Amino acid sequence: MDLELLIGIFPQVLIDGITLGFMYALIALGYTMVYGVLEFINFAHSEIFIVGAFVGVELLLGMKAWGWLEALPWVIVLVLILVAGMAVSGVLAVIVERTAYRPLRDAPRLIPLISAIGVSFFLQDAIRLFESLWRNAFNLVYPTMEVLNTRFEISSTIDVSLKSLVVVAAALLMLWGLYSLVNRTKVGKAIRAVAEDQSAASLMGINVNRIISLTFLIGGAMGGGAGVLFGVQYSLINPYTGFIPGLKAFTAAVLGGIGNIPGAMLGGLVLGLLEAFAASYLSLLTGGAFGAEYKDILAFSILILILIFRPKGLLGEVVRERA
Amino acid sequence: MIGRLLDRPRPATIIAIAALGGSAWAVAHAPRSILLFMLFQGSILLLYFARLPRRLKMLLTVAALGVLMPVLGTINAYYMEIAIQVGIFVALALGLNIVVGLAGLLDLGYVAFFAVGAYSWAIFGSPQANLIFGGDRFPLSPWWFFAFLGVGVAVAACAGILLGLPVLRLHGDYLALVTLGFGEVIRVLANNLDKPLNITNGPKGITPIGRPPIFFAPLLRAVGIEPNPNIIYPLYLYALVLLIVGVTILVNRRLEDSHIGRAWEAIREDQTAAQAMGVPLVRMKLLAFACGASFAGAVGVLFSAKQIFINPESFTFMESIGVLAMIILGGMGSIPGAILGATVVTVLNLQVLKGFSLWLNGLRNAGTVILGYDLSNLPTQLEPAKYERMIFGLILVLMMIFRPQGILPTRRRTRELGGS
Amino acid sequence: MRKLRTRHVLSALAASVLLVGVTLPVAHPVAAQSKGTIKIASQSPLSGGQAALGEGIKLGAQLAVDKMKGGLEKMGYKVEFVPFDDQAKPDVGVANAKNIIADKDIMAVIGHLNSGVAIPSSEVYKEVGVVMISPANTNPVVTDRGYPNVNRVCGRDDVQGVVGSEFAHGTMKVKSAYIVHDKTQYGQSIAEFFKADAEKKGVKILGFEGTEEKSNFDPILTPIKAKNPDVIYFGGIYDQGAPFFKQAREKGIKSKFMGPDGMDSSDLTKIAGKAVVGMNYTSAAGPASALPKAKTFVEEFKKKFGKNPEPYAAEAYDATVIAIKAIEETAKKGKVSREDVATAVRKAKLSGITGDIAFNSIGDRQKAQYFVLTVASDDPAKWGDNKIVKQLTIAPPEPKK
C-alpha cells in the first residue's frame, strides 16, 4: 500500500467526485420534486435525463455540420445545447405525466409505478428507434470541443480541466435557479403547498393539476440539463446509458431525504464522492482483489442501508400529510 | 361469436379437435412457417376457453402438450426450444405471481433467484468448482442434477429470505427499488466474482454444464429406438419442464386456497388490518419471498442444464421486468393468467419479433419496394428483433391504463380494479 | 376510461393473432427444406457498439457469396446468404445458433467477432456438425477444444499478446505498463497474455484492472495518472477503448497507448479523435492495404457497398470462399451433408486475399500473419493509411494432446 500514492490522488478523486456528484444532484432533483408532490417515483426520469443528452448531441452534430461549432464561442454553444436539452426533456416529462400517470392517479400505488417502469422501457427503445432511422447509429459521440480540454494547474500534481469546471459551474447555476424558483417565487410557493397538502392547496385556489405538470416540467428540465452535461463530460451515450445513473440518482434523493430539495443536492454530492472514492481506492486498498467494478453496487448497498437505518434520509423527508 | 360456439359442448369439441389436429398437420407439412405454429399455439389456447367436459379437456391438453408438441418439436427443433422457454417462463411467472400477485410485494429483482439457482448447478455440474475447491472431483456426476433441483430450491429460498429481512418494513415504492437493487447486486456479483476466488468465472460464463443422464436409454433400445442425444435431450428437457410446471401449478393452487394464501392476500389489501386480524406479518412476508424464489431456483437449475453455458447476461433487469410484464398481462394473482402471460410474452419475443425481423431482412435483401420506398434503403441498425423493451413497456403502460386486472384475472381483482 | 370486457380482450387477442399471421408472410419460406437451396450464414454483431466490425464481416461474406456462387448455381442449387446479428452477446449468439442448426439448408457459418460468443455458440454448431469458419475469433480456447467443425483464418491471442509485448519492450522500449481489460473472454485473456510476456521481459506491471464501464472512466484513470506508466494497454474492443483513451488524454495522461486487434476499426478514430493518433495496435489479420490481392477486393467492395472495407472483411471473404469451395466439392460427390462440408473445409487450401490458407489438425491457420500498426490520422476515412510497423508470419503453437 503506497501511502504517498493514496494521498497523492486524493485531490483528483475529490474533483472527480464533485463533478459526478453535481450531475447526480441534478438528476435527483427530478425524482425528489415529483415525489414531493405526488409521492410517486417517476421511473421514467432516467430516460428523460438521457433524452436531454441525445438532444445535446444531435444539436452539436448539427452545429458541426453547419459550421457553427467553430464560428460561435464555446459559451454560447454550451448555453444553446443546455437550453435545448432542458426544454425538450421538460416537455417530454409533461407529456409522459399527462398520458401515462394522470389517468392512474387514483389507482392503488402499484399501478402507476408499473406504468412508470413501462414508460421507461418504452422510451429507451423509442430513442433507439428514432436514432436508428435518423442516423443509423445509436451509440453517439459528443463532438469534442477542444477548448474544454485545457487544463489548469493548481499545483504540481493536481490539475483541473476546464470541462469539469464548466460542468460544476453549470450545475451550480441550475441548482441556484431552482432554489430561487422554489423558495422565492409565487409559483414555487404553490409547488410547496401542493407538496404539503394537495386538498388544502386546491382549496386555496391553486390549480393542482397545473402545478403538478409544472413540477414535472421543472424536474424534467433539470434532468435534461444533467443529460447534456453528462454527454459533454463523458462523450459516449446510448439509449440505455440513463438507467444506472437514474437509479443512483434516486438513491441520492433518498439519501438526502426524499421530497427535500436541498436534501437531493446533498445526497447527490455525497453519493458522487463516495462512488469516486470507492472506484479509485478500492483496488489500491485491497491489492486488486476488489476493484472499480463494485462501485455500482456501492450505491445500492447504501440505498439498502439508509432505508433500514435512517429511512428519513440525511436531511429528513418532506412528504405530504397523510389525509 | 366463436365464444358463444365454444360455450356449447358439441360444437366446442368439434372446433377444438379440428383446430388442434388441423394446425398440427399444417405445421408438420410446413415446418418453417412461424405463422402456422402460432395457429397451433392458438388452438391450445382455444382449449382453455372451450366449455368441454373436464375429462375431454384434460385428454386434449395432454394430447396437445404431450404428443403433438413433441412431434412438431422433433420436426423443427426451434419449436421445441420455444416450448421449453415458454415452460421456464411460465414457472417463473407463477413464482413471481406469489410475491407480487398474492402478497402484493413488488419485487423488481426476481431474476436474482433464477440466477442463484442456475449458478448453483452451473458451478458444481461443471469443472468450475475445481477452481474453488481445488482438485479434480468436479463436475459431479450428471445424476446429481436431480438432487440439485432441490438444492436450487433451497438456495433460492434462502436468498429470498435474505432479501426479505431488510425490506420487511418498507412500503411499495421503496420495496420495489430495493428489490431492483438486489437484483442488480446479484448480477454484478456474478459478473465480478472471478477474483480473488473464481466462483462464477465472471462475464466469461461457465461451460460446459452437465445435463441429466438419459437413464431411460436401455428402455428405448429395448423398443428399438437408438437414443440420439441431439433428439432425445430437447424432448427430455421438455418433459422435465412440464413436470416442474405441473408441480408449480399444483403447489400454487394449494397455497392459494390455504390459510397462507389468504394471509398473503390480506397483507396485500391492507397490511395494518391484516396485522390487527392476527396475521404474523414478518413470517408471512418472508414466506412469500421464499416460496416465490424457490420456483425460480428450480427452473434455474433446469435452465443451466439446458443451456450448457450461462453467463451473467442472462440475468439482467430486463428479465425481471419481462416476468413482471407477463403476470401484469395475464392478471396478477391469477394462475391461468400467469400461464397465458408467460406464453404470450415469450412467443412475442422469440417468434413474432424474430420472425418479423427475418421477414424484413428478406424483403430488404430482395430489394422490395413498398409504396415507393425501396426497402433496401432501410437503415441497417433498424432491427425489429431488438425492440422487446418497447413491447414490454407498451404492455405495461397500456395494461395499467386500460385493463389493470390483466387478461385472465381472478374474480376478486376484477371487482377491485373494475371491468366486467 | 373504458374498461375492457373479457370478450373484447379475447377477440382482440384472436384478431391480432390472425392479423399477425396474415401479414407474416407467405414471402417467408413456407417451403420445407428443399434440396435445391444452399445457405451460408454469418453471425456477428450488427447493432450496438461493435457494429462497425460486425458489419464488415457480414459484408465481406456477402461479397464472396455473390461473387462465387456461380459454381453451385450451375449444379442446380440456389445459393442464399443469411446474416444473423449476435449483438456481441453470448446468449443471443447461442439462440441464433439453435435457429441456424434447425435450418437444414445452412451448410456453413462465418463468424463470430467475439470469442466469448463464438465459444458457446460453437457448442451448438457441434451438435449437428455444421462448420464454423471464423474470420476474427482470436482466443485460443476456440480451437484448443479440438472440435472438427471449428476453424479460423485469423491468428491467435497467445501469439498476438506476445507480439504486442515484444513490440512494447523491444521497439517502444517501455519500462512500465498499466493494463486494463474489458472483462470479456477476448479482452481479459489477451490482456493476460500481454501481461505474462511483458513480465517475463522485465517490464514492470503497475496495474491490471478489469472494467465494464462504458462511459465514465474517471475513477480508473486517476490512479493510472498518478502511477504514470510508460504505456497503457487496453485489452478490449474499440467501443470501450476509444472513450477510455479519449478521456485519458483529456485528463492529461501522457502515457503511450497500445491495444490488440479489437482496436482495429475506423470507429476508433471516429470516437477518440486525436487522442489515439500515433498509438500502436496489433492485429491477427492483415489490413486491406497490406494484402497482396487487396486492390481488386477493395475496389469491388467499395463498388458494391459504397465504403471501404472494415478490418475482417477480407478475412470473412476468404473464409466464405473456402466454405463455398468445400460445399462445391461435396456437392460434386452427390449429397451435400454438413459433416462432409466440415471435413472438406478442414482439408481446404486456398490462395486467398489474405494469403495462403490451410488449417492444422485443430483448425488453426497454419501460417497466420501478425501485424503491428500505428494510427496515422484522426480522420476515420483514412484508417486504411495506418502504417504497418512490423509484419510477422508465425505458425500456431502445437496443439496440446
Side-chain angles (χ1 to χ4, degrees):
Chain A
M1 247 199 289
D2 188 353
L3 204 60
E4 203 187 293
L5 181 71
L6 293 175
I7 300 181
I9 61 175
F10 185 86
Q12 186 60 50
V13 179
L14 196 65
I15 296 175
D16 288 339
I18 293 180
T19 319
L20 189 62
F22 271 108
M23 249 184 275
Y24 284 152
L26 286 174
I27 309 174
L29 282 173
Y31 285 111
T32 221
M33 287 182 74
V34 168
Y35 198 89
V37 295
L38 281 180
E39 262 192 51
F40 162 69
I41 304 177
N42 182 6
F43 240 96
H45 191 62
S46 46
E47 274 57 54
I48 309 266
F49 152 70
I50 207 68
V51 161
F54 270 91
V55 168
V57 78
E58 284 290 343
L59 196 56
L60 268 179
L61 287 171
M63 283 203 253
K64 191 166 177 184
W66 302 322
W68 289 11
L69 201 58
E70 288 82 46
L72 297 169
W74 60 268
V75 185
I76 307 276
V77 172
L78 217 55
V79 168
L80 276 175
I81 57 176
L82 267 175
V83 168
M86 287 170 74
V88 174
S89 285
V91 169
L92 182 63
V94 175
I95 296 178
V96 165
E97 193 262 325
R98 286 287 175 82
T99 47
Y101 302 155
R102 191 173 290 190
L104 302 172
R105 220 170 287 156
D106 298 319
R109 289 266 284 262
L110 215 59
I111 313 277
L113 192 63
I114 296 178
S115 176
I117 301 175
V119 173
S120 168
F121 266 45
F122 176 78
L123 282 177
Q124 287 176 10
D125 269 358
I127 299 175
R128 179 190 177 132
L129 183 64
F130 176 77
E131 286 294 340
S132 303
L133 289 172
W134 177 257
R135 214 170 261 286
N136 198 18
F138 49 85
N139 277 300
L140 297 181
V141 184
Y142 265 64
T144 327
M145 291 188 276
E146 273 311 314
V147 64
L148 288 180
N149 289 331
T150 34
R151 301 196 72 86
F152 299 106
E153 297 259 322
I154 299 184
S155 82
S156 59
T157 46
I158 316 168
D159 50 14
V160 194
S161 71
L162 183 59
K163 197 188 269 193
S164 302
L165 289 177
V166 166
V167 167
V168 171
L172 277 171
L173 260 170
M174 288 166 66
L175 289 171
W176 175 81
L178 181 72
Y179 195 73
S180 326
L181 181 78
V182 169
N183 286 322
R184 303 224 183 118
T185 66
K186 215 163 136 195
V187 163
K189 201 181 275 188
I191 295 180
R192 279 181 288 141
V194 171
E196 183 147 339
D197 191 332
Q198 254 189 38
S199 25
S202 82
L203 285 174
M204 291 287 116
I206 296 177
N207 183 337
V208 171
N209 273 340
R210 207 151 62 96
I211 293 296
I212 292 181
S213 292
L214 195 67
T215 311
F216 271 88
L217 181 72
I218 300 176
M222 291 287 125
V228 172
L229 292 175
F230 183 89
V232 168
Q233 175 76 359
Y234 301 118
S235 311
L236 199 59
I237 58 170
N238 68 54
Y240 311 110
T241 318
F243 174 62
I244 299 271
L247 214 54
K248 292 186 193 163
F250 178 75
T251 308
V254 172
L255 178 59
I258 195 80
N260 184 334
I261 291 180
M265 302 186 202
L266 181 67
L269 269 174
V270 169
L271 192 68
L273 284 166
L274 277 175
E275 189 179 310
F277 276 97
S280 293
Y281 279 104
L282 208 51
S283 71
L284 293 173
L285 291 175
T286 58
F290 295 100
E293 50 267 19
Y294 286 96
K295 70 176 165 83
D296 285 345
I297 29 180
L298 182 75
F300 304 131
S301 318
I302 294 180
L303 180 66
I304 298 177
L305 288 172
I306 292 276
L307 287 177
I308 298 176
F309 293 112
R310 199 181 156 81
K312 296 231 184 297
L314 292 173
L315 296 184
E317 282 187 342
V318 175
V319 282
R320 58 187 161 147
E321 296 289 315
R322 286 182 192 274
Chain B
M1 186 219 2
I2 300 195
R4 234 165 289 158
L5 270 179
L6 285 177
D7 277 349
R8 283 153 51 214
R10 204 154 332 133
T13 324
I14 301 177
I15 294 181
I17 298 185
L20 263 183
S23 52
W25 180 88
V27 175
H29 278 82
R32 302 283 326 285
S33 168
I34 295 184
L35 148 67
L36 290 178
F37 188 61
M38 281 176 60
L39 281 180
F40 174 68
Q41 292 164 320
S43 63
I44 302 183
L45 179 67
L46 215 67
L47 268 184
Y48 178 76
F49 292 107
R51 195 166 290 183
L52 300 166
R54 226 164 145 206
R55 286 242 184 95
L56 186 58
K57 208 184 258 199
M58 294 269 258
L59 184 67
L60 284 178
T61 317
V62 169
L65 291 179
V67 176
L68 288 177
M69 182 70 90
V71 167
L72 293 180
T74 320
I75 298 181
N76 185 342
Y78 187 48
Y79 295 151
M80 200 83 261
E81 173 73 23
I82 295 181
I84 299 179
Q85 289 265 44
V86 167
I88 293 180
F89 277 109
V90 166
L92 284 175
L94 287 171
L96 187 62
N97 198 28
I98 292 180
V99 184
V100 179
L102 287 181
L105 305 162
L106 185 57
D107 184 355
L108 293 181
Y110 189 65
V111 79
F113 307 124
F114 188 48
V116 161
Y119 266 98
S120 63
W121 174 239
I123 293 177
F124 291 101
S126 78
Q128 181 68 22
N130 288 329
L131 294 172
I132 308 177
F133 299 110
D136 219 359
R137 280 164 295 161
F138 298 99
L140 293 173
S141 133
W143 284 99
W144 279 90
F145 171 80
F146 298 107
F148 263 79
L149 282 174
V151 170
V153 166
V155 176
C158 289
I161 297 181
L162 226 86
L163 169 66
L165 281 171
V167 306
L168 286 172
R169 280 176 292 141
L170 297 177
H171 59 74
D173 314 346
Y174 287 169
L175 177 70
L177 248 77
V178 170
T179 52
L180 201 168
F182 186 72
E184 281 295 297
V185 166
I186 294 288
R187 187 190 64 80
V188 173
L189 281 177
N191 218 5
N192 290 299
L193 277 178
D194 55 352
K195 57 173 179 171
L197 192 63
N198 189 352
I199 305 182
T200 61
N201 207 19
K204 296 195 259 186
I206 301 184
T207 188
I209 306 177
R211 289 177 143 172
I214 307 182
F215 54 84
F216 43 86
L219 223 94
L220 288 176
R221 286 205 193 94
V223 198
I225 311 176
E226 191 52 49
N228 174 359
N230 288 331
I231 304 186
I232 296 288
Y233 265 121
L235 293 168
Y236 187 14
L237 289 167
Y238 176 66
L240 278 175
V241 161
L242 281 182
L243 200 68
I244 295 182
V245 169
V247 170
T248 311
I249 296 180
L250 226 79
V251 174
N252 265 35
R253 273 265 165 83
R254 304 312 250 116
L255 280 175
E256 234 186 8
D257 284 333
S258 71
H259 73 280
I260 300 180
R262 284 197 287 275
W264 284 335
E265 299 203 28
I267 295 179
R268 180 189 73 205
E269 298 307 320
D270 190 336
Q271 247 182 244
T272 330
Q275 198 168 22
M277 289 283 111
V279 171
L281 277 187
V282 172
R283 217 183 330 150
M284 285 299 145
K285 281 190 180 179
L286 287 179
L287 202 62
F289 274 114
C291 271
S294 53
F295 296 120
V299 273
V301 172
L302 185 78
F303 178 72
S304 56
K306 160 186 168 305
Q307 297 279 100
I308 312 185
F309 161 83
I310 59 163
N311 77 339
E313 292 209 27
S314 311
F315 310 110
T316 65
F317 184 51
M318 264 293 283
E319 274 68 41
S320 287
I321 291 296
V323 181
L324 186 70
M326 291 172 198
I327 59 173
I328 297 282
L329 185 66
M332 284 188 274
S334 143
I335 294 182
I339 300 177
L340 178 68
T343 316
V344 170
V345 173
T346 313
V347 166
L348 252 178
N349 257 350
L350 291 183
Q351 282 187 244
V352 177
L353 277 182
K354 284 229 168 68
F356 186 52
S357 203
L358 282 172
W359 174 60
L360 210 61
N361 267 330
L363 286 184
R364 187 195 287 158
N365 284 338
T368 329
V369 182
I370 291 188
L371 299 174
Y373 179 68
D374 187 353
L375 280 180
S376 50
N377 286 336
L378 263 186
T380 50
Q381 294 286 344
L382 182 70
E383 276 291 322
K386 247 49 96 12
Y387 289 93
E388 43 178 14
R389 282 173 201 246
M390 193 182 265
I391 305 282
F392 285 170
L394 274 175
I395 290 179
L396 289 178
V397 177
L398 293 176
M399 288 305 288
M400 284 299 105
I401 297 181
F402 294 110
R403 195 169 165 97
Q405 68 270 38
I407 297 182
L408 293 178
T410 57
R411 245 168 287 147
R412 180 179 299 159
R413 278 303 241 217
T414 316
R415 260 183 283 134
E416 178 185 321
L417 292 166
S420 58
Chain C
M1 233 42 6
R2 247 177 74 244
K3 294 290 190 209
L4 299 178
R5 302 197 172 281
T6 313
R7 51 185 152 85
H8 292 165
V9 174
L10 288 176
S11 321
L13 205 65
S16 40
V17 169
L18 276 168
L19 188 74
V20 172
V22 164
T23 53
L24 254 194
V26 204
H28 194 71
V30 169
Q33 331 111 24
S34 79
K35 258 193 188 168
T37 311
I38 291 190
K39 295 193 190 149
I40 301 195
S42 77
Q43 264 226 70
S44 59
L46 299 178
S47 62
Q50 302 171 25
L53 286 178
E55 273 279 321
I57 293 179
K58 171 184 127 190
L59 296 177
Q62 195 173 330
L63 187 65
V65 169
D66 290 337
K67 218 178 145 205
M68 310 292 294
K69 62 183 175 182
L72 281 170
E73 285 186 331
K74 277 205 204 80
M75 287 190 225
Y77 292 99
K78 191 161 160 281
V79 180
E80 270 180 35
F81 174 65
V82 194
F84 282 88
D85 178 3
D86 64 13
Q87 299 181 40
K89 291 203 180 119
D91 37 327
V92 179
V94 169
N96 288 340
K98 299 212 169 147
N99 223 340
I100 288 177
I101 61 174
D103 183 351
K104 299 209 172 45
D105 291 341
I106 296 185
M107 288 294 149
V109 182
I110 312 296
H112 299 237
L113 174 71
N114 312 80
S115 301
V117 180
I119 293 172
S121 305
S122 55
E123 301 273 349
V124 178
Y125 303 139
K126 173 163 170 274
E127 280 177 30
V128 298
V130 68
V131 69
M132 171 183 127
I133 313 178
S134 175
N137 291 124
T138 48
N139 192 292
V141 176
V142 173
T143 48
D144 275 349
R145 295 166 300 170
Y147 291 170
N149 63 320
V150 175
N151 308 284
R152 59 169 140 219
V153 299
C154 54
R156 290 164 58 109
D157 282 339
D158 43 3
V159 182
Q160 199 196 156
V162 173
V163 167
S165 145
E166 281 252 357
F167 187 80
H169 174 78
T171 314
M172 289 166 70
K173 302 249 188 276
V174 300
K175 300 270 182 308
S176 60
Y178 199 102
I179 305 174
V180 181
H181 64 84
D182 65 358
K183 291 185 80 76
T184 64
Q185 179 89 33
Y186 162 73
Q188 186 164 346
S189 84
I190 193 168
E192 283 166 358
F193 287 124
F194 180 86
K195 172 169 178 253
D197 195 71
E199 275 175 333
K200 251 197 292 184
K201 294 189 161 61
V203 177
K204 223 174 135 218
I205 307 293
L206 299 176
F208 187 81
E209 283 263 343
T211 178
E212 298 180 285
E213 181 63 52
K214 294 265 194 304
S215 308
N216 176 9
F217 294 101
D218 277 343
I220 312 176
L221 288 170
T222 307
I224 296 182
K225 184 172 176 200
K227 290 193 175 167
N228 201 17
D230 288 334
V231 68
I232 305 178
Y233 186 88
F234 185 84
I237 311 230
Y238 65 85
D239 62 335
Q240 230 179 327
F244 174 75
F245 288 135
K246 182 173 189 217
Q247 287 178 21
R249 279 285 178 260
E250 285 173 1
K251 253 183 130 71
I253 295 181
K254 307 248 188 314
S255 320
K256 294 209 182 65
F257 296 149
M258 218 180 151
D261 59 333
M263 298 292 126
D264 191 0
S265 162
S266 57
D267 273 11
L268 183 75
T269 41
K270 192 158 162 225
I271 301 174
K274 289 213 199 76
V276 290
V277 173
M279 83 170 255
N280 292 302
Y281 62 95
T282 56
S283 174
S289 50
L291 308 169
K293 305 206 188 117
K295 249 187 95 186
T296 18
F297 170 70
V298 174
E299 277 168 14
E300 283 173 356
F301 193 97
K302 217 168 166 169
K303 204 166 113 191
K304 194 170 165 88
F305 301 118
K307 52 183 177 180
N308 283 325
E310 284 284 334
Y312 304 119
E315 281 70 24
Y317 182 92
D318 274 351
T320 317
V321 172
I322 292 179
I324 295 183
K325 289 222 178 315
I327 299 176
E328 277 183 14
E329 250 190 65
T330 39
K332 285 197 190 105
K333 299 201 193 103
K335 194 164 161 303
V336 181
S337 88
R338 283 164 161 173
E339 278 92 15
D340 290 340
V341 174
T343 330
V345 166
R346 185 57 68 83
K347 290 201 269 217
K349 286 202 198 317
L350 178 75
S351 188
I353 308 179
T354 58
D356 294 328
I357 306 180
F359 300 117
N360 72 358
S361 59
I362 56 173
D364 277 327
R365 180 170 173 166
Q366 272 177 2
K367 277 198 240 148
Q369 304 246 5
Y370 298 89
F371 299 80
V372 181
L373 301 105
T374 311
V375 179
S377 115
D378 64 341
D379 182 357
K382 300 219 181 85
W383 186 255
D385 292 345
N386 288 348
K387 284 199 280 293
I388 301 173
V389 189
K390 216 167 177 161
Q391 185 169 342
L392 306 148
T393 310
I394 306 181
E398 278 303 310
K400 300 193 231 320
K401 276 295 168 269

